[in-house]
Amino acid sequence: MVSNEAPQYTGIVQLLKHFGWTWVGLIVLRDESGDHFLQTLEPLFFQNGICSAFIQRIPSQGRLLSFTEISEVSSSIYKSFMDHKAKIFAVYGETLTVMWLSSLMFQMESDYSENASVGRLWIVTAQIDFTVMGLVTSWDSELFQGTISFEVPSNEPLGFQTYLQNLKCCSAHGDHFLKDFWEQAFHCTFSNSKESVEHDKVCTGKEKLEMLPGSVFEMQMTGHSYSIFNAVYLLAHALHAMTSFRSLHRASVKRKRLEHQDLQPWQLHWFLQGISFNNSAGESVTFNDRMEVATGLDIMKMVIFPNNSFTKIQIGRIDSKEEQTFSFYQDKMSWHRHFNQVLPFSLCSDPCQPGYQKKKKEGEKFCCYDCAPCPEGKISHEIDMVDCSPCPEDQYPSKKHDRCVFKTLNFLSHKEPLGMSLALVGISLFITTAFVLRTFVKYQDTPIVKANNRELTFTLLLSLLLCFLSPLLFLGQPNKTTCFLCQTAFGIIFAVAVSCVLAKTITVVVAFMATKPGSNMRKWLGRKLAGSIVVSCTLLQASICSWWMATSPPFPNLDMHSLTSEIIAECNVGSAVMFYLVLGYLGFLAIISFMVAFFARKLPDAFNEAKFITFSMLVFCSVWLTFVPTYLSTKGKYMVAVEIFSILASSGGLLSCIFFPKCYIILLRPQLNNKQQLRKSN
């Protein structure tokens, strides 16, 4: 009839987890039942992150210990009790365990002059009964204040209180148990007692049980008593079933009727299995096929009053179902004044706050640990996390590493100062170029404009107009269209511009060589040479770009990892080889233009602009040579800004070096814009 102990183990673990107690002292009997308790509970502790601060074995209470024995045991476990980190003690014992603990605490306080009971909370199993507290009323029972116990639930049978209130002692002849209890409980003796009378009070037998303190006699039906109550009923039902079975078969087997006193206990086993009945308390009692009563457990808290009487308050419940549901009534829980009315802590180490992780201490149990900050890139958002965890790709750790913060989207927008500045510079240069083009169109018949092929000049100015507008494609969040256009437009437009410069340079050289007597270079003069250079150079670049777009075109991409707190929205170039091939081809054209212009810079020609082309190509090559390392060393929007700046700077170099000197003559020194003056100056 004793309930299965398995729910108690689960209940103890769930109770400790509920309050976060992970450093718990264990006090168990030194017998087989204590061994079974430890063998079952310690694996559950390990699975749920709980450690035993110490394990103390106490003698089985088949007899009361002597003062000497108690003193020896108290000295052996003194150090364990003085572990100030352990505030919670789980006790597995018997009824007399309470008396033993009281004696132990009293002895320790006497021997070591220290209140060992202060700041301790006991958790006791259902086998322990606090009724024996009545025997130790001369000692301070305050140490058990707030004790949490597991108890078998009970229902009071109808008329039980009336029976107790009307109970008189010793009317039944030979009831020595009741007589002995009566004398001990009421501190009196019956006049016909043969023992020596040391009491001044004589028992009348009419004393009232309700006058006794709860520590001596509980008026309510306890779990232990209720189990015995059901056991009697269960045995009666089993005997009745056995008698009925034999009565049915007596005639057929013609067996002599057996008396009850002939029965052996093992003969009842078969009849006990599966019995179910309703007791007089109105509860259905079922004895399953394992011969166990399926019942849950009540979780009780003890409240002790100054006169050493006590009462128990139910603070939780463990159901008898297979999943053993644990429920706790938080509103009924309060804490001892030694804990300042707040939840006590029973931990080997202080909890690791969010942003830290546990670090095991060598040679100690896993509940004892240090706290180490989370490594870079990881967070812990809960207390006492074993390992820090990485954030999702779109988030990054906060400075305290206690939470993940969403990354911001990084791209060069025209609304921010950097993007707005670059856009304004590009638009300004576009307007300037348009003004230069208008000036050259207006004065297209003047010698300085007609020199070196007007069509090349207009083509170059138109390509520069597009060069100054192309950076606008790089601004804003990238998409498929802008990623596809920005690189191809950049490569082809610049190829047109540089090929025009190359054609201008070659035209200067050919024109000079054609002036020499007997030269056959005159046939190369004219628009066909310049046009073929521009078209062929541009078509080759267009072919490279077409192959790039067909095989591995640029595409919008979100780079989650390059920057810690930002997601880079970028145009992935697709094929890096093709991207640098486009740049390399432009560099090749620029270097050829620079070399030809450099050697032709001192040719004696009044219309020679090779010197200006040399400076423009020097600027152009310098910009793009510094572009590559700078581009590779930057991330996010600054990478885009470097590319835009390189486009504007190189285009601006062509515009200023080639066209500004001519604009100066056209607008400010028009008297020099004629053949005679130019020849004279030369």
Side-chain angles (χ1 to χ4, degrees):
M1 294 306 298
V2 176
S3 62
N4 192 330
E5 290 187 358
Q8 287 195 83
Y9 303 141
T10 305
I12 291 173
V13 171
Q14 293 294 328
L15 188 68
L16 296 175
K17 286 184 63 178
H18 180 81
F19 291 112
W21 296 326
T22 59
W23 193 241
V24 183
L26 296 179
I27 302 175
V28 300
L29 292 177
R30 192 183 297 130
D31 58 13
E32 291 184 0
S33 63
D35 294 339
H36 175 72
F37 176 82
L38 291 176
Q39 292 170 3
T40 307
L41 191 64
E42 288 202 292
L44 291 177
F45 272 15
F46 181 79
Q47 295 169 14
N48 291 273
I50 303 171
C51 298
S52 54
F54 60 85
I55 300 174
Q56 289 298 337
R57 311 297 296 270
I58 57 176
S60 178
Q61 282 81 55
R63 61 182 178 82
L64 291 177
L65 301 180
S66 66
F67 182 83
T68 303
E69 290 173 315
I70 292 177
S71 179
E72 291 176 354
V73 174
S74 65
S75 61
S76 68
I77 67 173
Y78 171 73
K79 291 183 179 179
S80 299
F81 271 75
M82 290 304 103
D83 180 357
H84 295 289
K85 295 178 180 179
K87 305 294 184 183
I88 309 301
F89 294 159
V91 183
Y92 178 87
E94 302 171 341
T95 298
L96 292 180
T97 301
V98 176
M99 187 173 182
W100 185 92
L101 288 175
S102 300
S103 303
L104 177 63
M105 293 296 104
F106 178 79
Q107 183 65 30
M108 288 176 63
E109 291 173 9
S110 301
D111 293 346
Y112 304 106
S113 301
E114 186 169 352
N115 190 357
S117 66
V118 171
R120 301 287 188 269
L121 183 65
W122 307 87
I123 299 175
V124 300
T125 54
Q127 293 85 349
I128 297 177
D129 190 347
F130 276 87
T131 303
V132 76
M133 284 285 293
L135 301 176
V136 291
T137 53
S138 60
W139 295 347
D140 183 14
S141 57
E142 179 74 6
L143 73 97
F144 294 113
Q145 184 71 268
T147 295
I148 297 176
S149 62
F150 294 87
E151 294 191 2
V152 178
S154 63
N155 282 326
E156 195 167 278
L158 187 64
F160 180 68
Q161 287 296 323
T162 304
Y163 166 75
L164 292 179
Q165 291 169 2
N166 296 330
L167 183 64
K168 302 292 187 294
C169 179
C170 309
S171 56
H173 182 68
D175 192 351
H176 296 292
F177 170 77
L178 185 59
K179 177 177 177 294
D180 291 341
F181 165 75
W182 208 272
E183 288 181 340
Q184 292 181 31
F186 289 104
H187 297 282
C188 63
T189 183
F190 288 96
S191 57
N192 59 351
S193 175
K194 295 181 182 180
E195 298 178 3
S196 60
V197 178
E198 297 181 1
H199 302 91
D200 296 331
K201 185 178 178 182
V202 177
C203 297
T204 64
K206 297 181 179 180
E207 290 83 3
K208 297 294 183 181
L209 292 176
E210 62 262 31
M211 302 302 295
L212 294 173
S215 59
V216 177
F217 186 83
E218 295 184 72
M219 290 293 289
Q220 290 76 28
M221 176 72 77
T222 64
H224 294 118
S225 299
Y226 190 63
S227 296
I228 298 172
F229 172 79
N230 283 329
V232 174
Y233 268 89
L234 187 68
L235 184 60
H237 280 274
L239 288 171
H240 176 73
M242 186 177 185
T243 304
S244 301
F245 176 79
R246 290 187 171 186
S247 298
L248 289 173
H249 295 275
R250 184 172 50 194
S252 59
V253 299
K254 297 181 180 180
R255 186 181 298 173
K256 181 181 177 182
R257 183 171 179 266
L258 295 176
E259 299 296 333
H260 288 316
Q261 56 266 31
D262 297 330
L263 296 178
Q264 296 299 319
W266 59 266
Q267 294 176 292
L268 285 173
H269 289 177
W270 187 83
F271 296 95
L272 285 170
Q273 296 180 27
I275 286 182
S276 180
F277 63 91
N278 291 328
N279 61 20
S280 60
E283 183 181 15
S284 177
V285 179
T286 300
F287 209 54
N288 59 28
D289 54 1
R290 297 191 300 271
M291 289 188 287
E292 295 175 347
V293 176
T295 180
L297 290 172
D298 291 333
I299 305 175
M300 311 295 290
K301 184 190 78 169
M302 178 176 289
V303 178
I304 301 177
F305 301 106
N307 63 354
N308 280 347
S309 63
F310 66 87
T311 185
K312 294 180 181 179
I313 302 173
Q314 184 175 357
I315 59 173
R317 168 77 182 172
I318 302 175
D319 292 335
S320 59
K321 300 176 183 178
E322 291 186 3
E323 60 270 18
Q324 297 178 2
T325 306
F326 174 84
S327 55
F328 193 79
Y329 314 142
Q330 189 71 40
D331 57 331
K332 295 185 178 181
M333 196 65 201
S334 58
W335 304 105
H336 194 277
R337 57 183 175 83
H338 290 315
F339 302 120
N340 296 322
Q341 310 298 331
V342 296
L343 174 69
F345 290 98
S346 190
L347 307 169
C348 180
S349 300
D350 292 334
C352 291
Q353 298 302 315
Y356 292 82
Q357 63 181 1
K358 293 181 179 180
K359 183 180 179 181
K360 188 180 183 304
K361 288 184 177 180
E362 292 297 328
E364 298 191 29
K365 294 187 177 182
F366 66 88
C367 293
C368 302
Y369 48 83
D370 293 321
C371 296
C374 286
E376 196 65 32
K378 292 186 176 182
I379 62 110
S380 63
H381 58 278
E382 296 179 356
I383 292 177
D384 275 347
M385 289 192 69
V386 177
D387 290 310
C388 297
S389 56
C391 288
E393 283 192 337
D394 60 342
Q395 300 176 37
Y396 69 98
S398 62
K399 290 183 178 180
K400 295 182 178 180
H401 292 269
D402 58 351
R403 62 190 178 95
C404 290
V405 181
F406 280 97
K407 295 181 178 180
T408 57
L409 199 60
N410 178 303
F411 60 90
L412 187 59
S413 172
H414 63 276
K415 295 181 180 179
E416 60 181 293
L418 179 59
M420 188 180 298
S421 301
L422 292 173
L424 290 176
V425 171
I427 293 172
S428 300
L429 291 174
F430 172 82
I431 295 173
T432 303
T433 306
F435 175 76
V436 172
L437 179 60
R438 178 180 176 277
T439 302
F440 272 62
V441 170
K442 183 178 180 180
Y443 296 97
Q444 61 181 320
D445 294 326
T446 60
I448 201 168
V449 176
K450 293 169 67 176
N452 298 99
N453 197 324
R454 283 181 299 185
E455 288 73 15
L456 277 181
T457 300
F458 295 150
T459 304
L460 177 57
L461 286 171
L462 287 173
S463 65
L464 289 177
L465 282 174
L466 296 177
C467 285
F468 292 130
L469 286 180
S470 63
L472 298 179
L473 292 173
F474 291 84
L475 298 176
Q477 185 172 351
N479 54 56
K480 289 184 178 180
T481 303
T482 56
C483 286
F484 189 85
L485 289 177
C486 61
Q487 300 296 349
T488 54
F490 156 70
I492 294 174
I493 293 170
F494 259 84
V496 173
V498 178
S499 61
C500 286
V501 175
L502 178 60
K504 275 177 166 290
T505 310
I506 292 176
T507 300
V508 171
V509 175
V510 171
F512 172 76
M513 295 176 66
T515 60
K516 291 182 178 181
S519 175
N520 58 356
M521 298 297 293
R522 289 181 178 273
K523 62 181 179 180
W524 294 101
L525 291 174
R527 300 176 181 176
K528 289 184 179 181
L529 176 62
S532 61
I533 293 174
V534 173
V535 171
S536 59
C537 292
T538 305
L539 283 178
L540 184 56
Q541 181 74 307
S543 300
I544 297 173
C545 291
S546 299
W547 181 256
W548 182 13
M549 297 302 112
T551 56
S552 182
F555 59 90
N557 179 53
L558 295 179
D559 181 2
M560 303 283 190
H561 308 291
S562 295
L563 297 178
T564 302
S565 60
E566 297 177 353
I567 300 173
I568 300 175
E570 62 180 1
C571 281
N572 190 302
V573 296
S575 173
V577 174
M578 299 303 295
F579 173 69
Y580 288 108
L581 184 60
V582 169
L583 286 180
Y585 180 72
L586 291 176
F588 172 75
L589 293 180
I591 291 173
I592 296 298
S593 299
F594 172 75
M595 293 174 62
V596 175
F598 180 78
F599 289 116
R601 71 188 187 283
K602 294 184 178 180
L603 293 177
D605 187 355
F607 299 101
N608 184 9
E609 57 180 350
K611 185 182 296 185
F612 302 125
I613 293 175
T614 301
F615 284 115
S616 66
M617 287 296 100
L618 183 61
V619 173
F620 187 93
C621 293
S622 301
V623 168
W624 288 105
L625 283 176
T626 56
F627 162 78
V628 174
T630 309
Y631 182 81
L632 294 175
S633 63
T634 53
K635 298 292 183 182
K637 59 185 177 183
Y638 299 106
M639 180 183 285
V640 179
V642 167
E643 189 168 359
I644 293 175
F645 175 81
S646 299
I647 293 173
L648 296 177
S650 57
S651 302
L654 293 178
L655 178 66
S656 58
C657 292
I658 295 176
F659 294 101
F660 282 0
K662 295 181 180 182
C663 288
Y664 171 77
I665 294 173
I666 293 172
L667 298 177
L668 301 179
R669 303 291 296 274
Q671 68 275 14
L672 298 178
N673 192 8
N674 58 76
K675 290 183 179 182
Q676 291 76 17
Q677 290 293 335
L678 289 173
R679 287 195 181 109
K680 184 178 178 181
S681 173
N682 187 59

